[in-house]
């Protein structure tokens, strides 16, 4: 095929992809069934990780929950078991399924690759091959760059970014062998654009998104179309992680913090329809696009108008006060 013909083919495929994307607005694709599939969720002990676990439990997936906090992880597992009991009773009444899903819990510090690799080996031995990997674990230091200890910066990078490398290296080989699986990266809108005062967090999320996109291209280059990738980029979620973050009061109603349940439901719809990327709310797509086309000074002007330039400062001040209070109590 000569280059001119190939150019026409490529142009047609690009236009066709736009048409298919538009069609999803009017004809929502069917959600795939994950009943009986094995789903690993990192950071499952609280926040979005716990909500992801409950959503997959309602769809009767076998859940493998990872968290550094054993108690919180067990609490999530008990919620999952309760859902299993409820859905199991309903299935027996309706004679829909004889499959009985299970939940497994593991204490794992995803910032340490040895912990990830050893825990993954336990999962393979005790549970079997996995079908879905939800890289959800995340932390924030809550310190200005020059006030942040190096150890906290390193931990933010390790948990929010490096851990994705370790989990992928642990589970991807079998997915490649079977040409089957789904990897989900729970990132953030702060991995698409930035604000002041959270340099380490933004850098870690930019890194996670870069890793996700590069791995997506690698799978396409290897013709491994059976392995799906979904990138989740929510706006600030009301989980308490960024408590105190504020923008200009007149603009606040337009950009409220997302309810965690809404965020996870939107993400689940994207995952179950093999959508490559989901930004919540949709205005985040526009913000990201504007960042790529506007001059930097124009972006700064917009930030200052919205109040986004220093929106993290109240959050950082609260964190600092809380840290000082804890240190005072420890000193007493």
């Amino acid at each position: 095929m000569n280059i001119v013909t190939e150019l026409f083919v490529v142009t047609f495929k690009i236009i066709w992809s736009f048409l298919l994307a538009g069609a999803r607005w009017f004809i929502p694709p069917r959600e795939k069934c994950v009943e009986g599939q094995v789903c690993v969720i990192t950071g499952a002990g609280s926040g979005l990780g716990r909500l992801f676990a409950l959503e997959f439990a309602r769809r009767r997936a076998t859940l493998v929950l990872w968290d550094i906090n054993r108690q919180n992880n067990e609490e999530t597992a008990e919620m999952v078991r309760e859902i299993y009991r409820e859905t199991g009773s309903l299935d027996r009444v309706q004679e829909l399924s004889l499959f009985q899903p299970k939940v497994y819990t593991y204490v794992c510090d995803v910032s340490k690759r040895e912990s990830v690799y050893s825990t993954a080996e336990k999962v393979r031995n005790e549970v079997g091959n996995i079908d879905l990997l939800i890289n959800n674990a995340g932390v924030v230091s809550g310190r200005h760059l020059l006030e942040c200890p190096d150890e906290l910066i390193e931990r933010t990078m390790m948990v929010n970014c490096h851990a994705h490398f370790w989990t992928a290296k642990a589970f991807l080989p079998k997915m490649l062998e079977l040409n089957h699986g789904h990897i989900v990266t729970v990132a953030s809108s702060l991995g698409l654009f930035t604000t002041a005062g959270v340099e380490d967090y933004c850098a870690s999320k930019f890194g996670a998104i870069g890793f996700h996109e590069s791995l997506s291209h690698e799978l396409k280059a290897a013709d491994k179309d059976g392995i799906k990738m979904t990138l989740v980029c929510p706006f600030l979620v009301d989980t308490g992680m960024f408590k105190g973050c504020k923008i200009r009061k007149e603009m606040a109603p337009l950009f409220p913090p997302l309810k965690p349940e809404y965020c996870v439901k939107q993400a689940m719809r994207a995952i179950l329809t093999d959508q490559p990327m989901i930004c919540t709310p949709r205005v985040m797509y526009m913000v990201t696009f504007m960042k790529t086309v506007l001059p930097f000074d124009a972006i700064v002007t917009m930030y200052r108008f919205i109040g986004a330039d220093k929106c993290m400062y109240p959050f950082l001040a609260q964190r600092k006060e809380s840290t000082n209070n804890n240190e005072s109590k420890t000193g007493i």
Side-chain angles (χ1 to χ4, degrees):
M1 184 183 297
N2 64 52
I3 191 168
V4 175
T5 305
E6 189 172 351
L7 181 60
F8 277 111
V9 173
V10 168
T11 303
F12 173 78
K13 287 183 176 180
I14 291 173
I15 295 172
W16 183 246
S17 67
F18 272 100
L19 293 174
L20 289 177
R24 292 173 67 104
W25 284 69
F26 304 101
I27 309 173
R30 290 184 58 184
E31 295 185 355
K32 64 184 179 183
C33 177
V34 294
E35 180 176 355
Q37 295 194 16
V38 179
C39 176
V40 172
I41 302 176
T42 67
S46 61
L48 298 185
R50 174 173 288 178
L51 293 175
F52 273 117
L54 301 183
E55 287 294 329
F56 277 105
R58 293 185 182 101
R59 292 163 175 81
R60 297 182 65 76
T62 291
L63 284 163
V64 180
L65 309 180
W66 289 16
D67 201 276
I68 197 171
N69 187 309
R70 183 187 302 273
Q71 181 178 342
N72 288 354
N73 210 27
E74 290 297 337
E75 288 175 1
T76 300
E78 189 51 43
M79 294 178 185
V80 167
R81 292 185 187 101
E82 181 59 31
I83 291 175
Y84 284 163
R85 285 191 286 269
E86 292 174 358
T87 57
S89 299
L90 181 62
D91 283 353
R92 283 192 292 273
V93 169
Q94 298 179 350
E95 297 182 354
L96 295 177
S97 174
L98 297 177
F99 171 75
Q100 292 299 320
K102 294 182 179 180
V103 57
Y104 301 82
T105 59
Y106 297 88
V107 176
C108 180
D109 183 351
V110 295
S111 70
K112 299 176 180 178
R113 63 178 180 272
E114 297 84 0
S115 179
V116 171
Y117 293 155
S118 62
T119 306
E121 185 63 28
K122 290 179 185 177
V123 171
R124 281 190 289 270
N125 293 334
E126 297 172 10
V127 186
N129 298 327
I130 77 160
D131 302 284
L132 298 109
L133 171 60
I134 316 296
N135 280 316
N136 164 79
V139 296
V140 61
S141 66
R143 307 280 187 92
H144 286 281
L145 175 63
L146 299 183
E147 298 175 358
C148 189
D150 294 346
E151 295 78 11
L152 286 183
I153 294 174
E154 289 175 343
R155 178 157 181 78
T156 299
M157 296 301 298
M158 290 290 186
V159 173
N160 295 359
C161 180
H162 295 182
H164 295 233
F165 288 77
W166 316 145
T167 56
K169 290 186 72 175
F171 294 116
L172 185 58
K174 197 64 180 181
M175 290 184 178
L176 289 170
E177 180 184 330
L178 301 174
N179 192 22
H180 169 76
H182 198 143
I183 299 175
V184 178
T185 298
V186 181
S188 169
S189 60
L190 290 177
L192 299 170
F193 52 86
T194 62
T195 189
V198 281
E199 290 84 356
D200 55 342
Y201 185 82
C202 289
S204 68
K205 292 300 184 178
F206 266 80
I209 291 174
F211 166 75
H212 178 98
E213 292 183 348
S214 181
L215 181 57
S216 298
H217 284 296
E218 184 169 342
L219 293 173
K220 289 294 184 183
D223 293 325
K224 296 295 182 179
D225 293 330
I227 304 174
K228 307 301 181 182
M229 301 282 291
T230 297
L231 176 62
V232 179
C233 293
F235 184 57
L236 299 181
V237 184
D238 191 14
T239 60
M241 179 177 273
F242 290 101
K243 186 177 180 180
C245 173
K246 296 178 182 177
I247 61 173
R248 184 173 176 171
K249 63 180 181 180
E250 293 89 349
M251 305 299 294
L254 300 177
F255 300 97
L258 298 176
K259 294 295 182 184
E261 295 80 6
Y262 170 78
C263 175
V264 170
K265 285 187 180 298
Q266 293 296 309
M268 286 296 296
R269 184 178 303 167
I271 294 166
L272 297 176
T273 57
D274 296 330
Q275 187 173 326
M277 180 180 182
I278 174 76
C279 288
T280 312
R282 290 187 180 276
V283 70
M284 291 299 108
Y285 292 109
M286 182 59 68
V287 174
T288 304
F289 174 74
M290 291 172 68
K291 175 200 166 185
T292 64
V293 298
L294 291 178
F296 180 71
D297 287 344
I299 296 172
V300 172
T301 301
M302 281 180 48
Y303 269 43
R304 288 175 175 169
F305 173 72
I306 297 172
D309 56 332
K310 298 179 180 178
C311 65
M312 288 293 175
Y313 284 15
F315 155 70
L316 296 172
Q318 282 192 17
R319 274 296 182 95
K320 186 173 184 178
E321 182 180 355
S322 176
T323 301
N324 290 340
N325 290 340
N326 290 337
E327 289 175 352
S328 298
K329 290 178 182 178
T330 303
I332 293 172

